[in-house]
Amino acid sequence: MEEAGADLQTLHTRMAAIGAQLDADWADALRAQLHLDRDTGECAYWHAGYHQALLDVLDLVSDRRAISDSADTSSLSLAVG
């Protein structure tokens, strides 16, 4: 169970870093809300990021593998609506 605690800490650390960028560097880009338009690259990236986040959480709760080494990786799956 210690590994799950480490994985939770990894997720908290990632969330804090991403949250800081969303509030600072990416705030203007988010105001345009292009991620809501289905035919934009922003929408595809949003779905790819969400997909990866769900994979991380599923891996954590199913205890399949550690997520600590999956930072900055992307899924090869296509984004789905």
Side-chain angles (χ1 to χ4, degrees):
M1 229 27 189
E2 284 182 37
E3 188 173 304
D7 284 341
L8 282 173
Q9 184 57 45
T10 297
L11 290 177
H12 283 289
T13 301
R14 284 188 198 171
M15 283 180 49
I18 292 170
Q21 283 195 297
L22 288 171
D23 290 341
D25 301 337
W26 297 331
D28 289 337
L30 287 176
R31 276 195 257 312
Q33 302 218 2
L34 294 177
H35 64 286
L36 299 176
D37 296 335
R38 286 263 181 230
D39 295 329
T40 63
E42 289 85 354
C43 182
Y45 280 113
W46 186 92
H47 280 87
Y50 188 65
H51 183 263
Q52 185 61 53
L54 290 173
L55 284 174
D56 285 347
V57 172
L58 287 173
D59 284 344
L60 177 64
V61 298
S62 66
D63 202 28
R64 290 191 299 215
R65 66 175 173 85
I67 62 165
S68 59
D69 62 348
S70 65
D72 298 327
T73 60
S74 59
S75 172
L76 297 178
S77 300
L78 294 175
V80 293

